[in-house]
Amino acid sequence: MDDKRFYDEKQETKQIPLVCPHCRQEGTYPIRWIVRTKKNQLPAGANDDDRARFGKARSYMVRVDEMAGCRNIRCRKRFELTGQTVVLF
Ligand SMILES: [Zn+2]
């Protein structure tokens, strides 16, 4: 069974404070994430192996966006996002 069946998946946009590395201006940027929330129950048709993996599974989210564009009109450069790309919760 594919691990994806253990989760309900949705896309979320979170407002994340970032500092542009070019001009140092701080701003809040909408960053997209895929949120995978673990289901309450093991999906039907699971075998023992699936059951064991489901037991260890945790809800998590994966960052979709790799880059942000600076909002400072005198800069407007794109920069790479840093920090975690996968967050467990
Ligand atoms: Zn900038």
Side-chain angles (χ1 to χ4, degrees), residues 5 8 11 18 30 37 45-46 51 60 69 71 78 85 88:
R5 290 191 54 195
D8 290 318
Q11 197 176 91
L18 298 170
T37 308
R51 191 179 305 277
Y60 66 102
R71 291 246 186 76
R78 288 176 67 74
T85 56
L88 297 171

Side-chain angles (χ1 to χ4, degrees), residues 20-25 29 70-72 75-77 79:
C20 172
H22 304 289
C23 68
R24 301 271 156 211
Q25 178 154 307
Y29 293 85
C70 183
R71 291 246 186 76
N72 179 352
C75 172
R76 288 213 175 264
K77 289 197 176 87
F79 58 92

